[in-house]
């Protein structure tokens, strides 16, 4: 298997964007192409969840190739719910690793402004079990609320821990110019003050408004390349060292222990084995905090902390920038935003930025090894990938 | 790059199916798993165009893995318009070729019964250029009609040639128990009789009803495997010998010569080069005849006939079963049906069936090398693949 490097990255601001979906993908991609110093690629993969439903556009891969004048490069769209981005990275990795292609553009994009928040919730719920969950009105906030309640009962997580994730990530986002939310928050403001309930109402008890990521538009892109192309580019040599992927039952109630995220655990183990590293070797991580509880649970399942102890590490500041293992320095989905198809790509955009030492005020010092966890469905399709800076 | 073999195939009847989309994919996949003699795979790719829009279901990969109890295998959905099927085969090929996975299930499925024919036309039109075509009401039948008219003017193709494609393919479908249309037709009935205009009205002049494929539900599936796994399976050794993919401008009017299908030509050339073969080495082909004119044009662009001479070869019977290069013995999209995401996979299902010698009454004698052309958009994203029977 050939080694695969990331030689270019690009991103749009995550916010409410005026321009069409294919242009969101195109602007992010133009940044990545410029960063890599290339104007042609061999293959294009676009990660996106809702184009046909929300944006009346299919075959987004062809549209992106056309927008960027990358014809005749082949292209396709990858849709894997919220894990679409990492799925596209995985298939792009295999394209280079196999020798089929030398350069691959992996772009992720979503334009959700066509849907209001209720419609967005219904749209995202299309990833639940069609007969055992969706038809009964289960939503992702509903799933997260039930998961949170079980986690509280079993491991002693409190509302305060959830709020600490929100405060950490949303305030990290203040240091990220591309993040959606640039509003400083505090425990006092969202939990402890007389106005807290008004500021931060229930969405699905015990989950509050500030426990949920925003609905964002945005795009992110990477250029993957063979070792020869990477060396010739003169860009920092950031290698994709491991990729693991695992699925779990689609219906959450069918899992033996619903507080275990087996797909995260398995995907992480596969990625570590492929990379030949251990969790303690990771310097910086982007985890999929669509809801605050998920950052805590994932930080345990990827092996940073013992099961049930993630909230203790959080309390101690171990996951803050400057802590033992900084999580979501970008702001995460919570602060940076969650344009669904872009998210998995944007996580890796941040990891590459960190490993290059280009993260400015949110830089994690001496970061050489990074990890991203892209979480599809309610933990039913998860991709964990690891990255190492070689030079 | 490792060699990749197809060791299992499965298909549903193409028709109006009662069961849900994920079950359509599952039934086809169960056939492929049984045929291959395996009950686990390492990776799952599902080709589908409309799940989120038509069927309110996202992340179909996770749903399929769950239906088949293939957890914890990773999974994703590939959407590439009508070329989704071949796109999934390409990514599956790279998964095995790279050494990342040893066995991959590639399934294609579409359930279009939720949309009536007008809505189906709008849905398929979402693959056109969003700003230069879609908003002006361009449809795929409209594109095909304009293309046909130009082809008639430039190369002397007539309505009779179009009808000959329809008659050939729809009557081939009589020999395929899984085909959608089991209705014998004749030139007399659809073109030459007093009732022909009633039987076969204009859809978009000069395209008539019988020049268009039906709107179908259906699924098809393949098991891809490494050489070691293929040899151990004891199944016939059908190797994926070449895969080429090319894009063209998304807006058809931007092409220098709209009657040239450059993406087909380039993709075919790439596939031949990879396989080390020439067009004359192909024994049987499945081409993407969503409209009758496309079979004629593609038969030229893949190099079976000189440009502008495909209709002459058709007249002479060279593309019939028993002819020099039989095209669409399965019935093609025209007779077998066109459940969009399933089509590219179903084409290869037919090629494997032919190379195995299992095609019964529609068997092409001594078929050792096959070719499939899966045509995305209006020729803006095309995948051509070749297959060879080794043992």
């Amino acid at each position: 298997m050939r080694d695969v490097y990331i030689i270019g990255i690009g991103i749009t601001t995550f916010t409410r964007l005026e321009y069409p979906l294919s242009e969101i993908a195109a602007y992010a991609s133009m940044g990545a192409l410029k960063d890599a110093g290339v104007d042609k690629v061999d293959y294009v993969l676009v990660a996106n969840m809702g184009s046909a439903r929300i944006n009346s556009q299919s075959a987004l891969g062809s549209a992106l190739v056309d927008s960027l004048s990358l014809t005749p490069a082949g292209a396709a769209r990858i849709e894997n719910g919220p894990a679409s981005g990492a799925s596209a990275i995985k298939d792009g990795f295999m394209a280079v690793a196999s020798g089929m292609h030398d350069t691959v553009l992996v772009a992720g994009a979503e334009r959700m402004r066509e849907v209001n928040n209720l419609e967005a919730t219904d749209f995202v719920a299309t990833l639940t079990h069609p007969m055992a969950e969706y038809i009964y009105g289960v939503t992702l906030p509903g799933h997260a609320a039930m998961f949170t309640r079980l986690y509280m009962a079993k491991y002693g997580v409190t509302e305060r821990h959830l709020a600490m994730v929100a405060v950490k990530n949303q305030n990290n986002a203040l240091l990220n110019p591309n993040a959606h939310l640039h509003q400083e928050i505090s425990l006092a403001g969202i939990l402890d003050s007389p106005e807290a309930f008004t500021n931060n109402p229930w969405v699905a008890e015990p989950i509050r408004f500030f426990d949920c990521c925003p609905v964002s538009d945005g795009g992110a892109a990477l250029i993957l390349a063979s070792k020869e192309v990477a060396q010739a580019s003169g860009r920092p040599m950031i290698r994709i060292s491991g990729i693991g992927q695992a699925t779990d039952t689609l219906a959450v109630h069918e899992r033996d222990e619903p507080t275990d995220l087996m797909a995260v655990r398995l995907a992480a183990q596969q990625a570590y084995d492929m990379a030949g590293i251990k969790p303690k070797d990771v310097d910086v991580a982007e985890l999929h905090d669509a809801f605050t509880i998920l950052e805590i649970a994932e930080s345990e399942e990827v092996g940073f902390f013992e099961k049930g102890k993630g909230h203790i590490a959080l309390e101690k500041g171990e996951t803050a920038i400057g802590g033992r293992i900084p999580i979501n320095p970008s702001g995460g989905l919570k602060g940076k935003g969650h344009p669904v198809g872009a998210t998995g790509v944007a996580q890796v955009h941040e990891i590459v930025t960190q490993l290059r030492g280009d993260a400015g005020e949110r830089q994690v010092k001496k970061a050489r090894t990074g990890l991203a966890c892209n979480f599809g469905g309610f933990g039913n399709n998860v991709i964990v990938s690891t990255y190492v800076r070689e030079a």
Side-chain angles (χ1 to χ4, degrees), chain A residues 163 189-191 195-202 208-211:
Chain A
I190 67 170
L191 199 69
E195 310 79 37
F197 190 80
T198 311
N199 292 342
N200 193 17
W202 300 121
R208 293 178 179 274
F209 179 77
F210 280 100
D211 292 311

Side-chain angles (χ1 to χ4, degrees), chain A residues 18 25 27 30 59 76-77 108 124 170 180 219 229 233 236 247 257 276 307 316 325 335 349 360 379 386 389 391:
Chain A
E18 295 297 326
Y27 283 119
M30 284 165 64
R77 176 169 79 107
V124 176
Q170 196 162 323
H180 192 168
V229 173
S233 76
T247 48
E257 174 49 67
K307 187 73 191 171
K316 291 182 182 166
I325 168 65
H349 180 283
T386 58
R389 175 161 186 168

Side-chain angles (χ1 to χ4, degrees), chain A residues 50-368:
Chain A
S51 62
R53 181 179 173 117
I54 301 179
N55 315 104
S56 286
Q57 182 162 19
S58 297
L60 191 57
S62 303
L64 179 60
V65 161
D66 184 77
S67 286
L68 297 168
S69 294
L70 292 174
T71 48
R77 176 169 79 107
I78 308 266
E79 185 269 308
N80 204 14
S84 298
S87 254
I89 294 169
K90 175 178 171 174
D91 278 22
F93 169 88
M94 297 188 302
V96 176
S98 65
M100 189 80 173
H101 295 303
D102 288 327
T103 50
V104 178
L105 165 62
V106 177
E110 203 82 46
R111 178 180 148 109
M112 301 185 74
R113 57 179 294 142
E114 271 84 356
V115 292
N116 68 29
N117 287 344
L118 280 178
E119 287 166 349
T121 300
D122 179 50
F123 162 60
V124 176
T126 60
L127 57 72
T128 62
H129 195 295
M131 287 163 286
E133 295 177 333
Y134 180 77
I135 59 169
Y136 299 108
V138 167
T139 63
L140 271 293
H143 266 311
M146 291 186 280
F147 183 84
T148 301
R149 196 171 281 292
L150 288 172
Y151 228 83
M152 287 173 155
K154 189 163 181 182
Y155 298 118
V157 169
T158 65
E159 274 195 58
R160 175 163 295 266
H161 293 112
L162 304 181
M164 289 173 69
V165 174
V167 169
K168 170 176 76 71
N169 291 356
Q170 196 162 323
N171 293 348
N172 283 353
L174 296 170
L175 310 176
N176 182 352
N178 296 310
H180 192 168
L181 303 182
H182 283 150
Q183 174 199 25
E184 189 170 357
I185 58 173
S186 65
L187 287 179
I190 67 170
L191 199 69
D192 294 334
S193 63
E195 310 79 37
F197 190 80
T198 311
N199 292 342
N200 193 17
W202 300 121
V203 169
E205 196 186 347
I207 286 186
R208 293 178 179 274
F209 179 77
F210 280 100
D211 292 311
C212 306
C213 66
V215 174
S216 314
D217 305 334
L222 311 171
I223 307 292
L224 276 46
S226 65
K227 188 167 192 173
E228 293 67 30
V229 173
Q231 284 171 331
S233 76
R235 302 300 291 142
M237 295 291 281
I238 312 289
R239 185 166 59 84
I240 303 176
S241 55
I243 298 183
Q245 182 178 17
T247 48
D248 202 342
T249 65
L250 185 53
V252 174
H253 69 264
E254 288 181 356
R255 300 178 194 166
D256 291 336
E257 174 49 67
T259 50
D260 286 351
L261 295 170
M262 291 307 299
V264 178
R265 202 177 302 175
L266 282 169
Q269 195 54 57
Q270 290 171 21
Y272 291 135
D273 288 349
M274 184 171 163
I277 62 173
K278 300 284 182 193
K280 68 172 173 48
D281 298 322
V282 176
D283 300 316
V284 56
E286 290 278 311
L287 303 183
H288 194 105
D289 58 330
F291 301 98
T292 49
I293 189 67
L294 291 182
E295 177 174 307
I296 295 171
E298 291 168 26
S299 73
E300 300 162 1
E301 301 289 12
V302 301
F304 294 157
F305 312 115
E306 271 180 62
K307 187 73 191 171
K309 304 289 188 194
H311 62 296
I312 308 294
L314 168 76
E315 261 181 11
K316 291 182 182 166
E318 294 186 22
T319 61
I321 297 171
R324 183 164 74 79
I325 168 65
I327 294 175
N328 288 325
S330 71
L333 284 60
K334 169 68 191 110
K336 186 178 54 187
H338 185 23
V340 183
T343 284
V345 181
Q347 290 179 317
V348 178
H349 180 283
E350 177 69 11
I351 294 297
V352 172
T353 303
Q354 291 283 350
L355 300 188
R356 286 180 175 179
D358 289 343
E361 290 184 86
R362 66 182 193 281
Q363 180 66 47
V364 173
K365 291 206 172 58
K366 297 184 184 168
R368 303 284 296 185

